[in-house]
Amino acid sequence: MLKTLAAAAFALATLVGPAAAQDASANAIVNAQLDAATTEIGLTSEARVYGRLAQDRAEIVRIEVAGGDLYFIGACDRNCSDVDLIVRDASGRELDRDHEPDDVPIAAVPGATAGRYTVEVSMATCAGECDWGVGVFR
C-alpha cells in the first residue's frame, strides 16, 4: 500500500496546476490536493487541519480520529516545494515521519487506536508564507 501511496503522492503533486486555474487561492489549492486523495487514491477522509507557515517554521496540531489503518497526508500551496510531517500518539511517541524533499508528505499509522494524535508540520522550503493542510485518511 505504501508504494501505491508514494506513486499517488506524485500524482497529487501534479494536480496543483489545474487547481490553480480553477481558483487562485492557496487554500483552495491545498484542499484540492487533499480531495485528490479520496478521488485518485480511493481513501476516505477522516479529518483535516489547515495552517500557514514561513520557511523553516513548524506548527504542532492535534487531530482526533477513529482507529484503523490511517494515512496522514500533507499538501501545500504552489509557493511551497517541501513540507514535512511527524505523527505522534497521545503519549508523544513518534509513530511515523516523512522528511523526504517533496510537497506531499505521507505518514502511515497502521492499526491506530481511536484518539488524539499530534502532527508536527514543518515548512522546509517555501517562498514567503505558505498555506498547508494535513488530511487523515483510511
Side-chain angles (χ1 to χ4, degrees):
M1 181 66 163
L2 280 180
K3 287 184 181 183
T4 302
L5 286 173
F10 176 76
L12 290 175
T14 62
L15 292 174
V16 173
Q22 293 171 0
D23 186 341
S25 79
N27 194 276
I29 292 168
V30 170
N31 211 34
Q33 289 183 60
L34 294 177
D35 285 345
T38 58
T39 58
E40 299 293 321
I41 307 173
L43 298 174
T44 302
S45 181
E46 286 288 315
R48 292 184 186 187
V49 293
Y50 300 93
R52 186 169 180 80
L53 287 169
Q55 182 168 313
D56 298 324
R57 297 291 186 181
E59 184 173 346
I60 295 174
V61 295
R62 288 168 183 76
I63 304 174
E64 191 82 27
V65 296
D69 294 336
L70 301 178
Y71 301 94
F72 294 75
I73 301 176
C76 58
D77 68 24
R78 63 181 160 219
N79 293 326
C80 159
S81 60
D82 186 8
V83 63
D84 300 322
L85 298 179
I86 300 174
V87 177
R88 294 182 176 93
D89 64 14
S91 70
R93 182 175 55 108
E94 184 176 313
L95 302 174
D96 198 13
R97 71 171 49 216
D98 184 333
H99 277 177
E100 295 297 318
D102 61 5
D103 58 355
V104 183
I106 299 172
V109 182
T113 58
R116 182 174 291 184
Y117 289 81
T118 301
V119 180
E120 182 176 334
V121 180
S122 301
M123 192 60 64
T125 306
C126 169
E129 287 195 339
C130 295
D131 284 351
W132 60 266
V134 173
V136 182
F137 301 89
R138 66 175 59 257

